[in-house]
């Protein structure tokens, strides 16, 4: 058997789909059985026709341009993915390789075809799956950071936003400089122990410096993954605002507990839900005595129902009330307070709580009463003085003018009283004044 016959036999029995065409016109000279099976065209239906005439190429212009360009540049066509249409009308992707065979009559082109449609579909499905996971990780509300040997290999959008840096400013850069300097040593030690296989915490807090210089508190949950080698992946939660809120709550709780003013917090129905230490000290009621009970427990008989109704009305209209009133202590005693009440609203604008602050002003009230007494009554005799006389006289004059009546004023003087003071001193005058005050009224008359 000659070489030509051997080659022809190999051509026809090869499991690879093969064709032989003229180089200039692309007219089929021969196809093997594998080519018949994949295209659906028999050998007789193919020989003598061109691929364009048979409609084998989905886009013949693209196929011709690719083949001509590769042959011109390299003399061969190697691993070109082209879309072919089978006899059934189905379109499939084939990997084509071709070479020119010199022939005395006319140059020929031998081509081989491999159906890679399923592989392409699998690769495309894998690419789409990877793209979905990448989009999922990229859009994850948690930050994601992958580091390898201390170098940042990947960050998602959330992590970049938290730090304020772009992907180019982060990827390929050392991770440690982004950590606050005070936290670097223990973080490096933790990472080294993990790489040695020691049992170390996987969740911890660490401080980072953003591009603007702001310090942020991150909670990191770390794992070891394969990223073309061993790498560390961390999911990041920014706890800065949470820590700030917790700090503010602790401060508020400390202020609430240590405030010198009594504080009462009720719900919207005026049921007590919290009181501070100053409240228990001023009222004598313990927390257990009042929590869960109505705030009317503290009302005193010094104020009537109209007073409380007016206070409620002002509170509803203005959102706050300020004033003075009497509160009943545990056991029945009363004391005067200066109180301010404010309402607290939820996000929907509905009343959720009321906060009342009050302080004991009993001594101040007594002092005020003493000052008022001294302002209107003589310190020595406790008789009304000229200020009170003028006030009462003014009131009487107004009343008489309104009624059309007359007003009589009687003036009494103690003769020689100033002389006693001047001659014998104020102490003697005071004693004589005491005797005069104790004398029967008809003696003065």
């Amino acid at each position: 058997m000659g070489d030509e016959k051997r080659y022809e036999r190999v051509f026809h029995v090869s499991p690879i789909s093969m064709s032989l065409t003229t180089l200039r016109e692309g007219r089929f000279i021969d196809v093997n059985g594998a080519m018949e099976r994949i295209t659906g065209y028999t050998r007789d239906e193919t020989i003598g026709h061109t691929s364009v005439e048979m409609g084998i190429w989905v886009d013949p212009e693209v196929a011709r341009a690719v083949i001509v360009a590769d042959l011109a540049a390299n003399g061969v066509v190697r691993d070109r993915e082209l879309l072919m249409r089978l006899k059934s009308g189905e379109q499939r992707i084939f990997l084509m390789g071709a070479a020119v065979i010199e022939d005395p009559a006319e140059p020929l082109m031998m081509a081989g075809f491999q159906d890679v449609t399923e592989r392409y579909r699998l690769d495309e499905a894998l690419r789409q799956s990877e793209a979905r996971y990448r989009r999922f990780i990229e859009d994850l509300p948690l930050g994601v950071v992958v580091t390898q040997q201390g170098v940042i290999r990947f960050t998602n959008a959330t992590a970049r936003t938290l730090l304020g840096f772009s992907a180019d400013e982060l990827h390929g850069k050392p991770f440690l400089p982004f950590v606050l300097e005070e936290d670097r040593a223990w973080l490096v030690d933790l990472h080294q122990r993990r790489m040695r296989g020691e049992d170390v915490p996987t969740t911890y807090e660490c401080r980072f410096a953003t591009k603007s210089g702001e310090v942020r508190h991150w909670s990191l949950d770390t794992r070891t993954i394969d990223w073309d080698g061993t790498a560390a992946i961390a999911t990041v939660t920014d706890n800065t605002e949470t820590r700030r809120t917790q700090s503010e709550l602790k401060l508020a709780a400390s202020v609430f507990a240590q405030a010198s003013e009594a504080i009462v917090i009720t719900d919207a129905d005026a049921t007590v839900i919290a009181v501070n230490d100053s409240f228990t000290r001023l009222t004598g009621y313990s927390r257990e005595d009042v929590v869960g009970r109505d705030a009317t427990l503290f009302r005193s008989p010094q104020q009537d129902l109209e007073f409380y109704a007016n206070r409620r009305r002002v509170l509803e209209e203005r959102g706050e009330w300020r004033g003075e009133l009497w509160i009943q202590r545990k056991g029945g005693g009363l004391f005067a307070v200066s109180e301010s009440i404010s309402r607290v609203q939820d996000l929907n604008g509905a009343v959720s709580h009321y906060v009342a602050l009050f302080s004991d002003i009993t001594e101040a009230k007594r002092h005020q009463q003493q000052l008022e007494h001294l302002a209107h009554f003589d310190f020595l005799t406790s008789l009304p003085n000229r200020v009170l006389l003028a006030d009462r006289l003014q009131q009487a004059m107004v009343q008489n003018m309104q009624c059309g009546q007359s007003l009589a004023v009687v003036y009494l003087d103690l003769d020689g009283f100033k002389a006693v003071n001047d001659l014998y001193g104020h102490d003697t005058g005071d004693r004589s004044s005491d005797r005069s005050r104790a004398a029967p009224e008809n003696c003065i008359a």
Side-chain angles (χ1 to χ4, degrees):
M1 182 182 294
D3 289 343
E4 185 176 342
K5 289 293 184 181
R6 290 194 185 95
Y7 291 143
E8 183 178 353
R9 181 174 177 80
V10 169
F11 177 85
H12 284 289
V13 300
S14 173
I16 299 174
S17 303
M18 302 181 70
S19 69
L20 187 65
T21 63
T22 60
L23 183 62
R24 284 193 296 272
E25 296 181 356
R27 197 169 300 279
F28 285 103
I29 302 298
D30 203 355
V31 293
N32 67 357
M35 188 71 172
E36 290 180 293
R37 288 190 294 274
I38 65 170
T39 64
Y41 291 102
T42 65
R43 185 168 179 267
D44 292 338
E45 292 174 320
T46 305
I47 292 177
H49 298 284
T50 67
S51 57
V52 175
E53 292 171 348
M54 298 175 64
I56 290 178
W57 301 119
V58 173
D59 193 335
E61 294 299 328
V62 171
R64 179 177 176 79
V66 167
I67 294 170
V68 171
D70 281 4
L71 289 176
N74 307 310
V76 295
V77 178
R78 184 177 290 112
D79 297 336
R80 279 291 188 175
E81 287 186 358
L82 296 171
L83 192 60
M84 294 176 64
R85 184 184 293 108
L86 309 184
K87 185 178 181 179
S88 64
E90 181 184 1
Q91 296 181 10
R92 296 185 71 83
I93 301 170
F94 285 86
L95 195 64
M96 177 184 176
V100 176
I101 299 176
E102 297 296 337
D103 188 90
E106 137 177 57
L108 303 177
M109 183 178 70
M110 180 176 288
F113 301 89
Q114 181 183 359
D115 189 341
V116 295
T117 307
E118 297 307 320
R119 188 184 73 186
Y120 182 84
R121 288 174 179 171
L122 289 174
D123 289 345
E124 182 61 23
L126 181 60
R127 282 193 294 270
Q128 291 180 359
S129 176
E130 290 177 347
R132 282 195 298 269
Y133 279 112
R134 177 173 286 275
R135 284 196 303 271
F136 171 76
I137 294 174
E138 185 70 12
D139 298 338
L140 202 66
L142 297 174
V144 177
V145 179
V146 177
T147 60
Q148 193 172 48
Q149 296 181 341
V151 175
I152 299 174
R153 298 302 182 192
F154 172 81
T155 58
N156 71 345
T158 301
R160 295 193 295 272
T161 300
L162 291 175
L163 283 172
F165 292 95
S166 67
D168 292 338
E169 292 173 313
L170 292 171
H171 298 174
K173 305 298 191 302
F175 175 73
L176 205 57
F178 297 98
V179 179
L180 197 68
E181 187 173 359
E182 291 81 353
D183 290 353
R184 292 175 188 173
W186 69 262
L187 188 62
V188 169
D189 177 68
L190 186 72
H191 177 72
Q192 292 174 345
R193 289 164 56 197
R194 179 186 294 110
M195 293 298 101
R196 291 196 297 267
E198 296 182 25
D199 186 15
V200 296
T202 58
T203 303
Y204 49 86
E205 279 203 359
C206 190
R207 291 172 294 176
F208 288 78
T210 67
K211 189 174 184 178
S212 65
E214 181 185 8
V215 176
R216 307 291 295 183
H217 293 261
W218 280 11
S219 175
L220 291 87
D221 191 345
T222 58
R223 296 290 186 276
T224 300
I225 62 169
D226 181 19
W227 191 282
D228 294 332
T230 302
I233 183 171
T235 54
V236 177
T237 304
D238 192 320
N239 288 340
T240 307
E241 297 306 322
T242 301
R243 289 176 64 91
R244 185 174 296 145
T245 300
Q246 290 175 344
S247 177
E248 290 173 353
L249 288 174
K250 288 180 181 178
L251 177 61
S254 176
V255 171
F256 176 80
Q258 301 179 27
S260 59
E261 292 182 304
I263 303 176
V264 182
I265 301 177
T266 73
D267 61 17
D269 297 322
T271 300
V272 178
I273 61 175
V275 295
N276 68 346
D277 293 339
S278 293
F279 171 88
T280 61
R281 176 175 52 81
L282 290 176
T283 66
Y285 288 102
S286 67
R287 290 179 176 83
E288 292 74 16
D289 290 333
V290 297
V291 172
R293 300 184 64 179
D294 195 285
T296 55
L297 171 69
F298 320 125
R299 288 184 178 180
S300 78
Q302 294 292 105
Q303 283 83 35
D304 55 21
L305 294 178
E306 184 179 352
F307 171 85
Y308 291 108
N310 180 68
R311 183 177 69 167
R312 182 75 180 185
R313 182 172 58 257
V314 171
L315 190 57
E316 290 176 351
E317 292 175 354
R318 303 178 184 174
E320 62 178 4
W321 179 89
R322 298 176 184 274
E324 296 179 358
L325 70 158
W326 292 84
I327 288 182
Q328 189 162 337
R329 282 193 176 94
K330 184 177 182 180
L334 297 177
F335 66 104
V337 299
S338 174
E339 182 181 51
S340 65
I341 306 176
S342 301
R343 71 183 176 203
V344 180
Q345 296 175 307
D346 60 20
L347 296 177
N348 297 320
V351 177
S352 60
H353 299 86
Y354 290 101
V355 179
L357 291 81
F358 60 84
S359 55
D360 188 347
I361 59 169
T362 307
E363 290 302 319
K365 293 288 286 184
R366 288 175 181 166
H367 184 62
Q368 180 182 356
Q369 291 172 353
Q370 291 174 353
L371 292 177
E372 290 177 352
H373 182 80
L374 291 174
H376 296 94
F377 294 87
D378 182 71
F379 176 75
L380 179 62
T381 63
S382 293
L383 295 174
N385 61 14
R386 68 181 65 187
V387 176
L388 184 58
L389 172 63
D391 179 70
R392 296 295 186 268
L393 185 59
Q394 181 66 31
Q395 293 180 27
M397 291 169 62
V398 172
Q399 182 177 0
N400 279 272
M401 288 176 64
Q402 292 174 346
C403 299
Q405 297 177 347
S406 299
L407 175 66
V409 179
V410 179
Y411 176 78
L412 299 178
D413 191 15
L414 297 177
D415 293 336
F417 190 74
K418 182 177 183 302
V420 173
N421 280 339
D422 294 342
L423 184 60
Y424 299 104
H426 285 280
D427 290 340
T428 302
D430 290 346
R431 287 196 298 272
S432 63
S433 175
D434 288 341
R435 288 195 295 271
S436 299
R437 184 174 48 184
E441 292 184 6
N442 57 4
C443 293
I444 297 176

